[in-house]
Amino acid sequence: MLDVQVDEFTLVLQTTKRPNYIEEWQGMAIKIIEEFVRLSKIEDVLGKLEDATQTLPQGYSNGFTCEGATYYFAIAYHVDFIQMGICIKFSAHAWMEYRKRYELLFGQSIQLHQFLANVNNNTIYTSRLSRIDIAIDFINEKVSVNTIYNQLSKKNQIVRTAYGRKNNSNLSGITQNNITSTFYLGTKGKNIKALLRVYDKKKEQLETMGNRYEEALQYESWVRFEASYKGAYAHDISNKLESTKTDTELKDLLVSALTDRYQFYYAKSDRLTTFSKKMLDLLNQKSFMFSSPSPRMNLLEQSQKHVLNGSGLFPYLYKVWTIWGDEGLKKCLAFLYEEFENYE
C-alpha cells in the first residue's frame, strides 16, 4: 500500500495594506492573526491560544501557541520587521491533530488545499507556503532503506529529475551495525531549497514511541520518502494549490512535486526502479482518498493523561512523600523502576 500526505508546512501571511508607521504594525498583525484564527477555526479545533515566548519560529519576537499542546504549532510575528510577515507553523503532529479534530467536529475531512482556500477568504492578507514536506509511504511493500542506500553508494542506482537530468545531490546516511535506516539526498541548511529524506518510519516510531506508535505496530514494514521544499520551490507549490479543487488533484500535485526531482533508476539498464515506478503509477489513479488520521494514534497520549490525572499514581506518590519525604519518594520510584523491568 502507498500513502501520500502533507507532513508539515509553514505558511506566511503578508498584509495587503502596509502601515504608515512601524508603531502601527503590531496592532495590524494582531488583527490579521484574529482573522486567520477565525477563518481556520484554530481555537475550535486545537484549543485556546496563549502567548508563547520559548517556542517561536526562529527570528520572530512575538506569538501564540495552543494551551497544553503536545505538538508544535505556532503563530508568530516580529514587532519591528513587517516584511517577515506572520508565520504559521504546523508540525506534522499538529497538522494530523488538526485534520483529525476538524473531521470529528464538522463531519468532513480537510486537506491542505481546502485549508488554504478557507484561510485565504479575506481582504486583509495574502498567504503562501515558505516550507512544505511531502511524504510518500510504502507500507508492507518490502522496500529496504539499507538496500537503496547501498545501491546508490555503489552507483548501481542513480537519481534523475523528471526531465532526465542526473540529480547530483549529496548522499549521506545514518548507519548502525552496518545497517542504514535513514539517508538523505541533499544537504541540511538554512538556504537549501530541496532535501529528500528516506527512512524506516516504523523503526523511528517504535524507538521514539512517536505519535503514530500504535499504527506502526500494525505494519510489517513502513518506509517513507519525504521531500522538504523551501523558498521558491514551496512558493511554486503554493501557487498551484490555489487551483487545486479535489483530493485527486492534490494527490497528483504532491506526487509530481516529489517525483519531478527524485526518480530512481537502475544504472545498467537505465530503467526505473520498482519503487519509483509505483510512485509514478499513483498519477494514473483517477480517484483517490487520503487516509484519515486514526484514533489509534492518540492511545499513547490518552494513556499518559490517564497516568497523570486518573490512575491514582500521583496521589500515591504524594502520600509516600508526605510520610517519608524526598528520600522515601526516591526509594519508592526506584522500587517502581525495578518492578517495571520485570513487567511483561
Side-chain angles (χ1 to χ4, degrees):
M1 178 178 73
L2 269 65
D3 187 34
V4 185
Q5 60 182 285
V6 173
D7 190 58
E8 69 171 86
F9 65 91
T10 303
L11 190 68
V12 177
L13 315 180
Q14 297 286 359
T15 178
T16 56
K17 182 182 178 182
R18 291 182 67 85
N20 295 318
Y21 305 100
I22 188 63
E23 291 79 9
E24 298 175 354
W25 165 238
Q26 185 164 9
M28 187 176 288
I30 294 298
K31 286 183 179 179
I32 291 173
I33 291 170
E34 288 173 349
E35 180 70 351
F36 171 83
V37 169
R38 182 184 72 83
L39 293 170
S40 64
K41 299 181 171 61
I42 283 291
E43 290 195 308
D44 294 330
V45 179
L46 293 183
K48 187 178 178 181
L49 293 177
E50 62 180 3
D51 289 335
T53 54
Q54 302 297 321
T55 57
L56 293 176
Q58 187 175 5
Y60 288 87
S61 64
N62 297 59
F64 307 92
T65 189
C66 294
E67 285 185 353
T70 57
Y71 44 79
Y72 185 83
F73 169 79
I75 301 176
Y77 64 96
H78 197 292
V79 291
D80 295 324
F81 298 103
I82 301 169
Q83 67 272 21
M84 290 178 67
I86 295 159
C87 177
I88 315 292
K89 188 172 179 62
F90 278 88
S91 67
H93 189 183
W95 179 235
M96 183 190 72
E97 282 295 319
Y98 180 89
R99 288 175 51 220
K100 181 181 65 183
R101 296 183 192 183
Y102 188 98
E103 186 170 343
L104 288 171
L105 275 173
F106 302 107
Q108 59 186 32
S109 63
I110 187 167
Q111 296 296 333
L112 184 57
H113 64 294
Q114 296 154 332
F115 176 82
L116 294 179
N118 291 345
V119 301
N120 287 335
N121 186 25
N122 75 92
T123 59
I124 65 173
Y125 66 79
T126 60
S127 75
R128 71 177 181 183
L129 295 167
S130 65
R131 172 177 177 164
I132 181 170
D133 287 15
I134 298 167
I136 298 180
D137 289 334
F138 285 72
I139 299 170
N140 298 337
E141 290 284 333
K142 297 181 180 178
V143 173
S144 167
V145 177
N146 185 62
T147 298
I148 298 171
Y149 176 76
N150 287 337
Q151 290 292 298
L152 290 170
S153 299
K154 296 173 183 177
K155 310 297 184 184
N156 293 330
Q157 287 184 20
I158 57 174
V159 183
R160 290 181 178 163
T161 69
Y163 304 101
R165 292 193 297 269
K166 187 175 180 182
N167 187 322
N168 292 312
S169 298
N170 181 59
L171 174 68
S172 59
I174 298 175
T175 303
Q176 289 183 325
N177 300 321
N178 294 321
I179 301 295
T180 300
S181 58
T182 300
F183 71 81
Y184 297 89
L185 278 173
T187 306
K188 294 181 182 180
K190 185 177 180 181
N191 298 317
I192 301 301
K193 293 183 174 62
L195 175 71
L196 181 70
R197 179 188 178 200
V198 181
Y199 64 104
D200 187 331
K201 182 71 174 176
K202 176 174 179 175
K203 181 175 184 290
E204 178 229 35
Q205 287 295 299
L206 297 186
E207 288 183 349
T208 63
M209 291 198 75
N211 60 289
R212 300 182 73 175
Y213 175 85
E214 294 287 340
E215 186 181 1
L217 288 174
Q218 314 301 315
Y219 303 142
E220 290 183 14
S221 66
W222 182 4
V223 170
R224 169 167 289 190
F225 290 73
E226 185 175 295
S228 178
Y229 294 127
K230 300 178 183 178
Y233 292 148
H235 300 165
D236 183 50
I237 294 171
S238 195
N239 293 336
K240 291 175 180 175
L241 280 165
E242 291 180 7
S243 59
T244 300
K245 303 300 181 187
T246 68
D247 283 3
T248 300
E249 289 176 356
L250 177 62
K251 174 263 299 179
D252 288 345
L253 174 57
L254 299 178
V255 173
S256 294
L258 192 150
T259 58
D260 278 357
R261 290 190 60 83
Y262 304 102
Q263 294 187 14
F264 293 73
Y265 282 80
Y266 298 114
K268 287 185 178 180
S269 64
D270 203 31
R271 297 175 66 178
L272 276 169
T273 61
T274 304
F275 58 88
S276 263
K277 189 174 184 305
K278 286 184 177 181
M279 290 188 206
L280 292 172
D281 285 344
L282 287 168
L283 297 173
N284 298 322
Q285 293 186 18
K286 301 305 179 186
S287 61
F288 184 85
M289 286 184 63
F290 289 91
S291 60
S292 294
S294 169
R296 287 198 306 261
M297 300 175 194
N298 253 3
L299 290 180
L300 182 63
E301 187 177 330
Q302 290 170 359
S303 297
Q304 180 174 297
K305 288 181 178 177
H306 174 68
V307 167
L308 294 176
N309 302 315
S311 68
L313 174 63
F314 275 50
Y316 160 69
L317 293 176
Y318 178 74
K319 290 175 184 176
V320 171
W321 178 75
T322 56
I323 297 171
W324 288 292
D326 290 343
E327 281 303 312
L329 180 60
K330 289 177 183 177
K331 289 180 180 179
C332 177
L333 292 171
F335 165 75
L336 291 176
Y337 182 78
E338 288 178 10
E339 288 297 305
F340 171 76
E341 287 187 318
N342 297 321
Y343 174 76
E344 293 184 11

Short mmCIF file of all heavy atoms in Angstrom, two decimals, residues 278-322:
data_model
loop_
_atom_site.label_atom_id
_atom_site.label_comp_id
_atom_site.label_asym_id
_atom_site.label_seq_id
_atom_site.Cartn_x
_atom_site.Cartn_y
_atom_site.Cartn_z
N LYS A 278 6.20 2.67 -8.90
CA LYS A 278 4.97 2.66 -8.10
C LYS A 278 4.54 4.08 -7.72
O LYS A 278 3.34 4.39 -7.66
CB LYS A 278 5.15 1.80 -6.85
CG LYS A 278 5.16 0.30 -7.14
CD LYS A 278 5.27 -0.52 -5.86
CE LYS A 278 5.20 -2.01 -6.16
NZ LYS A 278 5.28 -2.83 -4.93
N MET A 279 5.52 4.94 -7.45
CA MET A 279 5.18 6.33 -7.16
C MET A 279 4.51 6.99 -8.36
O MET A 279 3.47 7.64 -8.23
CB MET A 279 6.44 7.13 -6.79
CG MET A 279 7.06 6.79 -5.46
SD MET A 279 8.39 7.98 -5.09
CE MET A 279 9.42 7.03 -4.00
N LEU A 280 5.11 6.80 -9.53
CA LEU A 280 4.56 7.41 -10.74
C LEU A 280 3.20 6.81 -11.11
O LEU A 280 2.34 7.51 -11.67
CB LEU A 280 5.55 7.26 -11.90
CG LEU A 280 6.85 8.06 -11.74
CD1 LEU A 280 7.84 7.69 -12.83
CD2 LEU A 280 6.57 9.56 -11.78
N ASP A 281 3.00 5.55 -10.77
CA ASP A 281 1.70 4.92 -11.05
C ASP A 281 0.57 5.57 -10.26
O ASP A 281 -0.60 5.48 -10.65
CB ASP A 281 1.76 3.42 -10.72
CG ASP A 281 2.52 2.62 -11.78
OD1 ASP A 281 2.74 3.15 -12.89
OD2 ASP A 281 2.90 1.47 -11.48
N LEU A 282 0.92 6.23 -9.15
CA LEU A 282 -0.10 6.94 -8.38
C LEU A 282 -0.77 8.03 -9.21
O LEU A 282 -1.94 8.38 -8.99
CB LEU A 282 0.52 7.58 -7.13
CG LEU A 282 0.91 6.64 -5.99
CD1 LEU A 282 1.78 7.37 -4.97
CD2 LEU A 282 -0.33 6.09 -5.30
N LEU A 283 -0.03 8.56 -10.19
CA LEU A 283 -0.57 9.63 -11.03
C LEU A 283 -1.68 9.12 -11.95
O LEU A 283 -2.48 9.90 -12.47
CB LEU A 283 0.54 10.27 -11.87
CG LEU A 283 1.65 10.97 -11.06
CD1 LEU A 283 2.78 11.40 -11.99
CD2 LEU A 283 1.09 12.17 -10.31
N ASN A 284 -1.73 7.80 -12.15
CA ASN A 284 -2.75 7.22 -13.02
C ASN A 284 -4.05 6.91 -12.28
O ASN A 284 -5.04 6.52 -12.91
CB ASN A 284 -2.22 5.94 -13.67
CG ASN A 284 -1.00 6.21 -14.54
OD1 ASN A 284 -0.93 7.22 -15.23
ND2 ASN A 284 -0.03 5.31 -14.51
N GLN A 285 -4.03 7.07 -10.96
CA GLN A 285 -5.24 6.80 -10.19
C GLN A 285 -6.21 7.97 -10.34
O GLN A 285 -5.92 9.09 -9.91
CB GLN A 285 -4.91 6.59 -8.71
CG GLN A 285 -4.11 5.32 -8.44
CD GLN A 285 -3.94 5.07 -6.95
OE1 GLN A 285 -4.65 5.62 -6.12
NE2 GLN A 285 -2.96 4.23 -6.60
N LYS A 286 -7.35 7.71 -10.95
CA LYS A 286 -8.31 8.78 -11.25
C LYS A 286 -9.18 9.14 -10.05
O LYS A 286 -9.80 10.21 -10.04
CB LYS A 286 -9.20 8.37 -12.43
CG LYS A 286 -8.40 8.09 -13.71
CD LYS A 286 -7.52 9.27 -14.09
CE LYS A 286 -6.71 9.00 -15.36
NZ LYS A 286 -5.75 10.09 -15.64
N SER A 287 -9.27 8.26 -9.09
CA SER A 287 -9.98 8.58 -7.85
C SER A 287 -9.05 8.25 -6.69
O SER A 287 -8.34 7.26 -6.72
CB SER A 287 -11.28 7.78 -7.74
OG SER A 287 -11.02 6.40 -7.72
N PHE A 288 -9.06 9.12 -5.70
CA PHE A 288 -8.10 8.95 -4.61
C PHE A 288 -8.69 9.55 -3.34
O PHE A 288 -9.31 10.61 -3.36
CB PHE A 288 -6.78 9.64 -4.95
CG PHE A 288 -5.70 9.45 -3.92
CD1 PHE A 288 -4.90 8.31 -3.96
CD2 PHE A 288 -5.49 10.39 -2.93
CE1 PHE A 288 -3.90 8.13 -3.02
CE2 PHE A 288 -4.49 10.21 -1.99
CZ PHE A 288 -3.69 9.07 -2.04
N MET A 289 -8.49 8.85 -2.22
CA MET A 289 -8.88 9.38 -0.91
C MET A 289 -7.69 9.32 0.02
O MET A 289 -7.00 8.29 0.11
CB MET A 289 -10.03 8.56 -0.32
CG MET A 289 -11.38 8.81 -0.97
SD MET A 289 -12.70 7.90 -0.14
CE MET A 289 -12.65 8.66 1.49
N PHE A 290 -7.41 10.43 0.67
CA PHE A 290 -6.33 10.46 1.66
C PHE A 290 -6.78 9.71 2.91
O PHE A 290 -7.94 9.75 3.28
CB PHE A 290 -5.96 11.90 2.01
CG PHE A 290 -5.25 12.62 0.92
CD1 PHE A 290 -5.97 13.36 -0.01
CD2 PHE A 290 -3.88 12.57 0.80
CE1 PHE A 290 -5.32 14.04 -1.03
CE2 PHE A 290 -3.22 13.23 -0.23
CZ PHE A 290 -3.95 13.97 -1.14
N SER A 291 -5.84 9.04 3.54
CA SER A 291 -6.17 8.31 4.76
C SER A 291 -6.45 9.31 5.88
O SER A 291 -5.77 10.32 6.00
CB SER A 291 -5.01 7.39 5.16
OG SER A 291 -3.83 8.14 5.39
N SER A 292 -7.47 9.01 6.67
CA SER A 292 -7.80 9.86 7.81
C SER A 292 -6.92 9.48 8.98
O SER A 292 -6.60 8.30 9.17
CB SER A 292 -9.27 9.69 8.19
OG SER A 292 -10.11 10.18 7.17
N PRO A 293 -6.52 10.47 9.80
CA PRO A 293 -5.74 10.15 10.99
C PRO A 293 -6.52 9.18 11.88
O PRO A 293 -7.68 9.41 12.18
CB PRO A 293 -5.56 11.51 11.68
CG PRO A 293 -5.75 12.51 10.60
CD PRO A 293 -6.76 11.91 9.66
N SER A 294 -5.87 8.11 12.29
CA SER A 294 -6.54 7.07 13.05
C SER A 294 -6.63 7.43 14.53
O SER A 294 -5.69 7.96 15.10
CB SER A 294 -5.78 5.75 12.91
OG SER A 294 -6.26 4.80 13.82
N PRO A 295 -7.78 7.11 15.17
CA PRO A 295 -7.88 7.31 16.62
C PRO A 295 -6.80 6.54 17.39
O PRO A 295 -6.46 6.90 18.50
CB PRO A 295 -9.27 6.78 16.96
CG PRO A 295 -10.04 6.85 15.69
CD PRO A 295 -9.03 6.60 14.60
N ARG A 296 -6.26 5.47 16.80
CA ARG A 296 -5.22 4.69 17.48
C ARG A 296 -4.00 5.55 17.78
O ARG A 296 -3.25 5.29 18.71
CB ARG A 296 -4.78 3.51 16.60
CG ARG A 296 -5.75 2.38 16.51
CD ARG A 296 -5.04 1.14 16.01
NE ARG A 296 -4.34 1.37 14.77
CZ ARG A 296 -4.81 1.03 13.59
NH1 ARG A 296 -5.98 0.46 13.47
NH2 ARG A 296 -4.11 1.24 12.49
N MET A 297 -3.80 6.61 16.95
CA MET A 297 -2.61 7.43 17.12
C MET A 297 -2.63 8.16 18.46
O MET A 297 -1.61 8.63 18.93
CB MET A 297 -2.52 8.45 15.99
CG MET A 297 -2.43 7.84 14.61
SD MET A 297 -2.46 9.12 13.34
CE MET A 297 -2.76 8.13 11.87
N ASN A 298 -3.78 8.27 19.07
CA ASN A 298 -3.90 9.02 20.31
C ASN A 298 -3.83 8.14 21.55
O ASN A 298 -3.91 8.65 22.67
CB ASN A 298 -5.23 9.78 20.34
CG ASN A 298 -5.01 11.27 20.14
OD1 ASN A 298 -3.89 11.70 19.92
ND2 ASN A 298 -6.07 12.03 20.21
N LEU A 299 -3.69 6.83 21.39
CA LEU A 299 -3.74 5.94 22.54
C LEU A 299 -2.63 6.22 23.54
O LEU A 299 -2.86 6.21 24.75
CB LEU A 299 -3.67 4.48 22.07
CG LEU A 299 -4.92 3.97 21.33
CD1 LEU A 299 -4.71 2.52 20.91
CD2 LEU A 299 -6.17 4.10 22.18
N LEU A 300 -1.42 6.47 23.05
CA LEU A 300 -0.32 6.73 23.96
C LEU A 300 -0.56 8.03 24.73
O LEU A 300 -0.34 8.09 25.95
CB LEU A 300 1.00 6.82 23.18
CG LEU A 300 2.26 7.04 24.02
CD1 LEU A 300 2.47 5.86 24.97
CD2 LEU A 300 3.47 7.22 23.13
N GLU A 301 -1.02 9.05 24.01
CA GLU A 301 -1.31 10.32 24.67
C GLU A 301 -2.42 10.16 25.71
O GLU A 301 -2.33 10.71 26.81
CB GLU A 301 -1.74 11.34 23.61
CG GLU A 301 -1.91 12.76 24.15
CD GLU A 301 -2.25 13.73 23.04
OE1 GLU A 301 -1.82 13.50 21.89
OE2 GLU A 301 -2.95 14.71 23.33
N GLN A 302 -3.44 9.38 25.38
CA GLN A 302 -4.53 9.14 26.33
C GLN A 302 -4.02 8.39 27.55
O GLN A 302 -4.42 8.69 28.68
CB GLN A 302 -5.65 8.37 25.64
CG GLN A 302 -6.40 9.17 24.59
CD GLN A 302 -7.34 8.31 23.77
OE1 GLN A 302 -7.42 7.10 23.96
NE2 GLN A 302 -8.03 8.94 22.84
N SER A 303 -3.15 7.40 27.34
CA SER A 303 -2.60 6.65 28.46
C SER A 303 -1.80 7.56 29.38
O SER A 303 -1.87 7.45 30.61
CB SER A 303 -1.70 5.52 27.95
OG SER A 303 -2.46 4.59 27.19
N GLN A 304 -1.04 8.48 28.78
CA GLN A 304 -0.24 9.41 29.57
C GLN A 304 -1.14 10.30 30.41
O GLN A 304 -0.88 10.54 31.60
CB GLN A 304 0.63 10.25 28.65
CG GLN A 304 1.51 11.25 29.37
CD GLN A 304 2.46 11.95 28.43
OE1 GLN A 304 3.32 11.31 27.82
NE2 GLN A 304 2.30 13.25 28.29
N LYS A 305 -2.22 10.82 29.81
CA LYS A 305 -3.14 11.67 30.55
C LYS A 305 -3.80 10.89 31.69
O LYS A 305 -4.04 11.43 32.78
CB LYS A 305 -4.20 12.24 29.61
CG LYS A 305 -3.67 13.32 28.67
CD LYS A 305 -4.76 13.86 27.77
CE LYS A 305 -4.22 14.97 26.87
NZ LYS A 305 -5.26 15.47 25.93
N HIS A 306 -4.10 9.61 31.45
CA HIS A 306 -4.70 8.78 32.50
C HIS A 306 -3.75 8.61 33.67
O HIS A 306 -4.14 8.72 34.83
CB HIS A 306 -5.10 7.43 31.93
CG HIS A 306 -5.59 6.46 32.97
ND1 HIS A 306 -6.79 6.64 33.65
CD2 HIS A 306 -5.04 5.32 33.47
CE1 HIS A 306 -6.95 5.65 34.51
NE2 HIS A 306 -5.92 4.84 34.42
N VAL A 307 -2.46 8.37 33.35
CA VAL A 307 -1.46 8.21 34.40
C VAL A 307 -1.36 9.49 35.24
O VAL A 307 -1.29 9.46 36.47
CB VAL A 307 -0.09 7.83 33.81
CG1 VAL A 307 1.01 7.96 34.85
CG2 VAL A 307 -0.12 6.41 33.26
N LEU A 308 -1.37 10.63 34.56
CA LEU A 308 -1.19 11.91 35.24
C LEU A 308 -2.42 12.32 36.04
O LEU A 308 -2.31 12.92 37.11
CB LEU A 308 -0.84 13.00 34.23
CG LEU A 308 0.50 12.86 33.52
CD1 LEU A 308 0.67 13.95 32.48
CD2 LEU A 308 1.66 12.94 34.51
N ASN A 309 -3.61 12.02 35.50
CA ASN A 309 -4.83 12.60 36.08
C ASN A 309 -5.80 11.61 36.71
O ASN A 309 -6.55 11.98 37.61
CB ASN A 309 -5.59 13.39 35.00
CG ASN A 309 -4.74 14.49 34.38
OD1 ASN A 309 -4.07 15.21 35.10
ND2 ASN A 309 -4.76 14.60 33.07
N GLY A 310 -5.81 10.37 36.25
CA GLY A 310 -6.89 9.50 36.68
C GLY A 310 -6.50 8.17 37.29
O GLY A 310 -7.35 7.43 37.79
N SER A 311 -5.23 7.84 37.27
CA SER A 311 -4.83 6.49 37.68
C SER A 311 -4.59 6.36 39.17
O SER A 311 -4.50 5.26 39.70
CB SER A 311 -3.56 6.07 36.94
OG SER A 311 -2.45 6.86 37.37
N GLY A 312 -4.43 7.48 39.86
CA GLY A 312 -4.11 7.42 41.28
C GLY A 312 -2.63 7.34 41.57
O GLY A 312 -2.22 7.30 42.74
N LEU A 313 -1.78 7.29 40.53
CA LEU A 313 -0.34 7.17 40.76
C LEU A 313 0.21 8.38 41.49
O LEU A 313 0.97 8.24 42.46
CB LEU A 313 0.38 6.98 39.42
CG LEU A 313 1.91 6.99 39.49
CD1 LEU A 313 2.41 5.82 40.34
CD2 LEU A 313 2.52 6.93 38.09
N PHE A 314 -0.16 9.57 41.04
CA PHE A 314 0.41 10.77 41.66
C PHE A 314 -0.09 10.98 43.10
O PHE A 314 0.70 11.36 43.97
CB PHE A 314 0.13 11.99 40.79
CG PHE A 314 1.15 12.16 39.69
CD1 PHE A 314 1.48 11.10 38.86
CD2 PHE A 314 1.81 13.37 39.51
CE1 PHE A 314 2.42 11.25 37.87
CE2 PHE A 314 2.76 13.52 38.52
CZ PHE A 314 3.07 12.47 37.69
N PRO A 315 -1.39 10.73 43.41
CA PRO A 315 -1.80 10.79 44.82
C PRO A 315 -1.03 9.80 45.70
O PRO A 315 -0.67 10.11 46.84
CB PRO A 315 -3.29 10.44 44.76
CG PRO A 315 -3.72 10.91 43.42
CD PRO A 315 -2.57 10.61 42.52
N TYR A 316 -0.75 8.61 45.15
CA TYR A 316 0.03 7.60 45.88
C TYR A 316 1.43 8.13 46.17
O TYR A 316 1.93 8.04 47.31
CB TYR A 316 0.10 6.31 45.07
CG TYR A 316 1.22 5.37 45.45
CD1 TYR A 316 1.20 4.69 46.67
CD2 TYR A 316 2.27 5.15 44.58
CE1 TYR A 316 2.23 3.83 47.02
CE2 TYR A 316 3.30 4.30 44.92
CZ TYR A 316 3.28 3.64 46.13
OH TYR A 316 4.30 2.79 46.47
N LEU A 317 2.09 8.72 45.13
CA LEU A 317 3.44 9.25 45.32
C LEU A 317 3.43 10.41 46.31
O LEU A 317 4.38 10.59 47.10
CB LEU A 317 4.02 9.71 43.98
CG LEU A 317 4.29 8.59 42.95
CD1 LEU A 317 4.75 9.19 41.63
CD2 LEU A 317 5.32 7.60 43.48
N TYR A 318 2.35 11.19 46.30
CA TYR A 318 2.25 12.31 47.24
C TYR A 318 2.18 11.81 48.69
O TYR A 318 2.82 12.36 49.59
CB TYR A 318 1.01 13.15 46.91
CG TYR A 318 0.78 14.31 47.86
CD1 TYR A 318 1.59 15.45 47.79
CD2 TYR A 318 -0.20 14.24 48.84
CE1 TYR A 318 1.39 16.50 48.67
CE2 TYR A 318 -0.41 15.29 49.73
CZ TYR A 318 0.39 16.43 49.64
OH TYR A 318 0.20 17.46 50.51
N LYS A 319 1.42 10.74 48.89
CA LYS A 319 1.32 10.16 50.24
C LYS A 319 2.67 9.64 50.71
O LYS A 319 3.06 9.82 51.88
CB LYS A 319 0.29 9.03 50.24
CG LYS A 319 -1.15 9.51 50.08
CD LYS A 319 -2.11 8.33 49.97
CE LYS A 319 -3.53 8.82 49.71
NZ LYS A 319 -4.48 7.70 49.51
N VAL A 320 3.40 8.98 49.80
CA VAL A 320 4.74 8.49 50.15
C VAL A 320 5.62 9.67 50.56
O VAL A 320 6.34 9.62 51.56
CB VAL A 320 5.36 7.74 48.96
CG1 VAL A 320 6.84 7.42 49.24
CG2 VAL A 320 4.60 6.45 48.68
N TRP A 321 5.54 10.74 49.80
CA TRP A 321 6.39 11.91 50.08
C TRP A 321 6.05 12.58 51.41
O TRP A 321 6.93 12.99 52.16
CB TRP A 321 6.23 12.91 48.93
CG TRP A 321 7.01 14.19 49.12
CD1 TRP A 321 8.35 14.37 48.99
CD2 TRP A 321 6.47 15.45 49.51
NE1 TRP A 321 8.69 15.67 49.26
CE2 TRP A 321 7.55 16.36 49.59
CE3 TRP A 321 5.18 15.90 49.80
CZ2 TRP A 321 7.37 17.70 49.94
CZ3 TRP A 321 5.00 17.22 50.15
CH2 TRP A 321 6.08 18.11 50.22
N THR A 322 4.73 12.66 51.72
CA THR A 322 4.34 13.31 52.97
C THR A 322 4.77 12.49 54.19
O THR A 322 5.03 13.05 55.26
CB THR A 322 2.80 13.53 53.04
OG1 THR A 322 2.13 12.27 52.86
CG2 THR A 322 2.34 14.51 51.98
#
